[in-house]
Amino acid sequence: MKNNQGSVASKLNKTQVLLHDQELAKHIPITRRFTHSQLFDMLGHYGMVYLKPDKGARGIGVMRVEKRGRVYCYQSGIQTFTFRTFQGMFHSLRNRIGGRQYLVQKGIHVLRHHGRPFDFRVMIQKNPSRQWEPTGTVARVAHPHKAVTNGSQGGTIYSAVNLMKAHAGKKKTAELLQKMNRIANLTADRIGREFPKLNEMGLDIAVDRNLTPWILEVNSRPDPCPFTKLDNKDAIKKIVAYAKGYGRNFCLECTKSKRAPKGFR
């Protein structure tokens, strides 16, 4: 079967579409095109932001930028660079970014597991009835020395329920996961109307210290690899089956991400 999946590369385009929905807009961090003035203003206002390529995947090129008193710093991969002036840091960032289009996103102070930040990947797909259906959610804990949670960057994959229960309890965890599914459905409906060839999306959702969920970005060609790391194979089986229905076959050789300890997967 021919793959009519389609994709939408620009993160900013997808964000702008979602901002037209009042409910979704409450869960989207402020996101702007990367410029000297935007970075300066957002750092001054929020203290911490993330820079990310407008077109990119798997956490490649994502950097955490902070203003700590009179000192500026940013983290890229496992390296952290510190500067006495904003101008010095901006010059370094500009050299690293080159001519690529980047975005500045308000930093969310996410929940942490043993000091490492974590977020969630929610998969939503067109089911055999051609309706959007959430097909799985996993938690992703960042590599011990990185600011991004992606499995492809050495993150560890946890059962969303098991990890979240340790922070929020059973009842609140169920409510949060249900809310994430609702956010995923609203997102798929809104973006799907603008880009009708899409059959699947992967939402990266962070939860802050007040247990508020935030949509960090929406991927139109999501990688199902995280779901292969769970002991329960129901989600990955459904993801693969639905994908075959619209003509996509996944490579499930997933070597970069790690499995959670027993009891968390």
Side-chain angles (χ1 to χ4, degrees), residues 210-259:
N210 296 317
L211 301 184
T212 300
W214 295 90
I215 306 171
L216 301 181
E217 62 183 70
V218 180
N219 303 273
S220 59
R221 294 283 286 180
D223 183 357
C225 273
F227 296 91
T228 68
K229 304 297 182 180
L230 301 178
D231 285 346
N232 187 325
K233 301 302 180 185
D234 291 347
I236 190 62
K237 288 178 180 177
K238 180 179 279 192
I239 289 167
V240 169
Y242 282 9
K244 286 182 178 178
Y246 50 76
R248 188 177 181 200
N249 294 305
F250 297 118
C251 172
L252 297 180
E253 294 181 7
C254 309
T255 59
K256 294 182 178 179
S257 57
K258 299 176 176 59
R259 298 183 75 196

Side-chain angles (χ1 to χ4, degrees), residues 93-110:
L93 286 169
R94 174 52 72 190
N95 286 340
R96 185 173 294 271
I97 289 169
R100 291 173 291 170
Q101 292 290 327
Y102 257 66
L103 305 177
V104 189
Q105 187 175 76
K106 174 188 174 182
I108 303 300
H109 292 281
V110 303

Side-chain angles (χ1 to χ4, degrees), residues 17 20 188-198:
V17 169
H20 291 295
D189 180 66
R190 175 64 67 169
I191 292 182
R193 276 184 276 157
E194 291 290 325
F195 307 101
K197 289 186 177 181
L198 293 180

Side-chain angles (χ1 to χ4, degrees), residues 23-24 120-124 132-138 160 173-189 203 205 213 227:
E23 184 170 349
L24 289 174
F120 299 86
R121 163 58 62 88
V122 182
M123 189 84 168
I124 186 165
W132 288 109
E133 179 185 333
T135 47
T137 302
V138 294
T173 293
E175 292 172 356
L176 271 170
L177 294 178
Q178 185 177 25
K179 189 167 189 176
M180 288 183 203
N181 281 343
R182 173 170 171 74
I183 288 171
N185 274 310
L186 290 172
T187 297
D189 180 66
L203 282 73
I205 298 181
F227 296 91

